[in-house]
């Protein structure tokens, strides 16, 4: 079959392209600019045009779009005029996942890392799973891969309700917190989308929920009342579902491991040692959810706990970009206040020097809705510079910019020009400090700018 993917270089769309290519389909596409993903897909056999134009379109292709593609896009416009078949990205992923045991990872944050954990652990156990992850894995592995095994693990994107196109065998819900209100309008509608998602689980399937998160716990309660199979996990006891995995500190007599953070999972009458090679308390908690998915898939608890240690992280999730003059530069995708807080708590636990943050807000609507919460999260850092909003799919909003956040955090500086902001945060740093570039936009490109400035001033 022939597919044309508009915006093929995007994180989610490139994964679909990877899967379709691996299945032997003809993949064409376009994107507004050249990128690493575009180049990689070309090398894999895709035909990709830079820029959107009607002449890029073959009239016999199935057109795949995401919610970010505007109706006036010339390729989408001509496809509709011709009556070509048009699929949402999530529908194309569901197509690529046919006849697989579909494991969907959902939540307001933590999806990419947790989906990566599952994919790596299952691969470590020799199951060769397929994966659809909106980011690369450590070691430069693509987020999209068609394996020979029966399992496909995928991020379930709630931002536009597209996760309602899936029918998973197992659904893992990490958390439910207000986000994407530009699409949903209210928290109640956002929460209802997760209820609808849970009802998409195939008969006999399983819903796994984090009981430590209020939204996810409430979903578990509703699902149990509706007669669904539900397992929960968390740091505290919970009796909502049919089973609960408890995250505990390691046993007192456990062997210490300097290269891992250690804990144990209590499940029924059994204890399982959990070691994670990635930092952060939130990573341990997410790993317990991933562990429960593995158990549901028939893997022994001991084997699943061991396999999770093979996970080394995903691109843009607390990713070390380099070091100059004893100053580490780390990039992180956090773009929700809870994510920012988790990232900064991790940084504060790892570094003895000052934690300095260059934060780029993502979306005007999110900045407006959560300005005060962003300020509270960023206050954990020792030094904060906020730059201008990364618009992504939105148009500029009157009166909303990065200074909406610094208005609630007087110790932070607002520097609209992102290059100037990068130079400034670098000039302040001293040996032993860590500089974090944080956000879902092109702030990721500023790590190189900061390292160059650090080297220049060495």
């Amino acid at each position: 079959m022939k597919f044309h993917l508009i915006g093929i270089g995007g994180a989610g769309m490139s994964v679909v392209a990877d899967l379709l290519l691996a299945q032997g389909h003809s993949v064409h596409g376009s994107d507004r600019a050249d990128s690493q993903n575009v180049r990689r897909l070309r090398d894999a056999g895709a035909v990709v045009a830079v820029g959107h134009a009607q002449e890029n379109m073959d009239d016999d292709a199935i057109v795949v779009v995401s919610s970010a593609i505007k109706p006036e896009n010339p390729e989408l416009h001509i496809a509709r005029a011709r009556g070509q078949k048009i699929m949402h990205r999530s529908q194309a992923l569901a197509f690529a996942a046919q006849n697989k045991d579909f494991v969907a990872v959902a939540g307001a944050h933590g999806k990419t890392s947790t989906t990566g954990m599952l994919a790596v652990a299952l691969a470590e156990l020799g199951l060769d799973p397929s994966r659809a992850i909106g980011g690369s894995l450590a070691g430069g592995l693509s987020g999209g891969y068609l394996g020979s095994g029966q399992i496909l693990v995928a991020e379930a994107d709630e931002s536009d309700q597209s996760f309602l196109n899936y029918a998973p065998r197992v659904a893992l819900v990490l958390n439910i917190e207000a986000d994407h209100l530009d699409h949903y309008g209210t928290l109640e509608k956002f929460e209802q989308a997760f209820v609808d998602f849970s009802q998409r689980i195939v008969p006999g399937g399983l819903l796994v929920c984090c009981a430590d998160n209020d939204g996810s716990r409430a979903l578990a309660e509703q699902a149990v009342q509706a007669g669904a199979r539900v397992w929960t996990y968390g740091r505290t006891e919970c009796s909502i579902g049919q089973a609960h995995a408890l995250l505990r500190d390691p046993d007192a007599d456990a062997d210490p491991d300097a290269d891992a953070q250690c804990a144990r999972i209590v499940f029924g009458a059994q204890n399982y040692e959990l070691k994670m090679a990635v930092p952060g308390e939130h990573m341990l908690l997410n790993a317990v959810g991933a562990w429960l998915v593995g158990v549901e898939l028939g893997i022994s608890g001991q084997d699943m706990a061991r396999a999770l240690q093979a996970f080394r992280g995903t691109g843009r999730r607390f990713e070390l970009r380099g070091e100059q003059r004893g100053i580490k530069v780390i990039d992180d995708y956090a773009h929700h206040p809870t994510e920012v807080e988790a990232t900064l708590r991790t940084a504060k636990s790892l570094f003895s020097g000052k934690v300095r943050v260059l934060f780029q807000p993502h979306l005007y609507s999110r900045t407006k809705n959560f300005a005060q919460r962003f300020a509270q999260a960023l206050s954990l850092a020792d030094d904060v510079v906020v730059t201008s909003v990364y618009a992504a799919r939105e148009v500029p909003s009157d009166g909303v910019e990065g200074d909406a956040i610094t208005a609630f955090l007087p110790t932070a500086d607002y520097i609209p020009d992102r290059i100037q902001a990068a130079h400034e945060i670098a000039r302040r740093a001293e040996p032993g400090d860590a500089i974090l570039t944080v956000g879902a936009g092109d702030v990721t490109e500023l790590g190189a700018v900061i390292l160059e400035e650090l080297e220049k001033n060495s």
Side-chain angles (χ1 to χ4, degrees):
M1 299 174 68
K2 182 185 289 185
F3 292 86
H4 182 94
L5 283 67
I6 305 176
I8 195 170
M13 196 72 86
S14 62
V15 166
V16 174
D18 281 320
L19 293 172
L20 293 173
L21 283 167
Q23 290 179 327
H25 299 295
S26 174
V27 175
H28 294 231
S30 62
D31 214 319
R32 62 182 180 181
D34 202 359
S35 67
Q36 183 177 348
N37 274 345
V38 166
R39 294 188 290 272
R40 177 179 57 75
L41 289 169
R42 283 191 183 125
D43 290 342
V47 177
V48 183
V50 173
H52 300 298
Q54 291 187 4
E55 52 265 31
N56 295 335
M57 292 286 298
D58 290 331
D59 58 11
D60 58 344
I62 297 171
V63 181
V64 181
V65 298
S66 71
S67 298
I69 303 303
K70 305 297 184 186
E72 59 269 21
N73 179 282
E75 294 172 14
L76 179 56
H77 179 77
I78 191 65
R80 284 178 169 157
R82 290 171 176 167
Q84 290 177 248
K85 183 174 181 179
I86 299 171
M87 301 174 72
H88 188 274
R89 177 185 57 81
S90 57
Q91 293 172 312
L93 177 58
F95 169 82
Q98 289 180 101
N99 304 317
K100 297 283 187 182
D101 287 334
F102 198 141
V103 177
V105 180
H109 41 83
K111 295 184 292 293
T112 298
S113 295
T114 309
T115 311
M117 284 180 198
L118 271 167
V120 169
L122 296 175
E124 181 75 5
L125 293 164
L127 297 176
D128 195 26
S130 301
R131 61 179 183 264
I133 307 170
S136 61
L137 293 169
L141 295 176
S142 166
Y145 170 72
L146 183 67
S148 61
Q150 182 58 28
I151 301 166
L152 182 142
V153 293
E155 285 189 49
D157 182 14
E158 81 289 351
S159 66
D160 55 3
Q161 295 177 276
S162 60
F163 64 168
L164 300 183
N165 287 316
Y166 302 145
R169 173 186 165 184
V170 186
L172 170 58
V173 177
L174 305 170
N175 42 66
I176 303 174
E177 299 179 19
D179 200 2
H180 308 295
L181 299 183
D182 56 318
H183 175 82
Y184 289 96
T186 66
L187 173 60
E188 290 73 23
K189 290 182 179 179
F190 182 71
E191 292 171 337
Q192 182 60 44
F194 280 87
V195 174
D196 297 341
F197 170 67
S198 70
Q199 294 171 348
R200 297 281 301 162
I201 298 171
V202 299
L206 178 69
L207 173 65
V208 179
C209 290
C210 178
D212 289 359
N213 176 265
D214 290 343
S216 182
R217 184 186 182 97
L219 176 66
E221 291 174 335
Q222 287 180 274
V224 168
Q225 291 170 6
R229 287 182 64 224
V230 178
W231 290 358
T232 59
Y233 66 96
R235 295 184 179 89
T236 55
E237 296 281 1
C238 178
S239 58
I240 292 174
Q242 291 82 24
H244 181 71
L246 192 62
L247 177 62
R248 292 290 200 194
D249 291 334
D251 289 322
D253 58 353
D255 293 331
D257 190 336
D259 296 323
Q261 56 170 345
C262 303
R264 61 190 167 100
I265 300 171
V266 182
F267 190 64
Q270 300 295 316
N271 280 258
Y272 302 93
E273 184 180 21
L274 177 65
K275 294 182 178 180
M276 294 301 294
V278 290
E281 277 286 318
H282 59 297
M283 288 292 191
L284 282 175
L285 186 61
N286 292 343
V288 181
W291 181 86
L292 278 176
V293 173
V295 171
E296 166 65 9
L297 294 173
I299 301 165
S300 77
Q302 183 175 350
D303 287 345
M304 190 63 187
R306 174 185 55 80
L308 282 166
Q309 193 174 0
F311 177 64
R312 294 293 186 273
T314 56
R316 296 220 57 208
R317 272 68 178 180
F318 216 81
E319 181 181 9
L320 178 66
R321 288 298 175 87
E323 182 174 352
Q324 284 286 347
R325 294 169 34 213
I327 302 166
K328 288 183 168 62
V329 178
I330 293 166
D331 187 47
D332 197 276
Y333 193 72
H335 56 285
H336 182 280
T338 304
E339 293 172 335
V340 173
E341 182 177 345
T343 296
L344 294 184
R345 288 192 187 282
T346 299
K348 295 290 283 186
S349 71
L350 293 175
F351 303 114
S352 57
K354 290 185 176 181
V355 173
R356 303 179 187 272
V357 177
L358 172 52
F359 179 64
Q360 181 187 50
H362 183 260
L363 300 179
Y364 295 100
S365 57
R366 186 182 285 122
T367 304
K368 180 179 180 180
N369 289 329
F370 301 126
Q372 188 168 7
R373 288 192 59 203
F374 275 125
Q376 291 170 346
L378 290 166
S379 69
L380 293 172
D382 299 294
D383 183 21
V384 178
V385 173
V386 178
T387 192
S388 53
V389 173
Y390 185 79
R393 60 184 179 269
E394 294 184 339
V395 297
S397 177
D398 289 342
V400 178
E401 253 304 344
D403 55 357
I405 296 171
T406 57
F408 292 103
L409 188 61
T411 56
D413 294 314
Y414 172 58
I415 302 178
D417 184 278
R418 64 192 188 99
I419 302 299
Q420 183 183 345
H423 288 159
E424 178 60 27
I425 200 86
R427 283 193 286 265
R428 298 177 183 180
E430 299 175 351
D433 290 353
I435 301 176
L436 278 66
T437 55
V438 178
D442 54 14
V443 68
T444 184
E445 300 170 359
L446 300 182
V449 177
I450 291 169
L451 287 165
E452 183 180 350
E453 181 71 16
L454 292 173
E455 182 180 20
K456 184 173 69 175
N457 293 326
S458 60

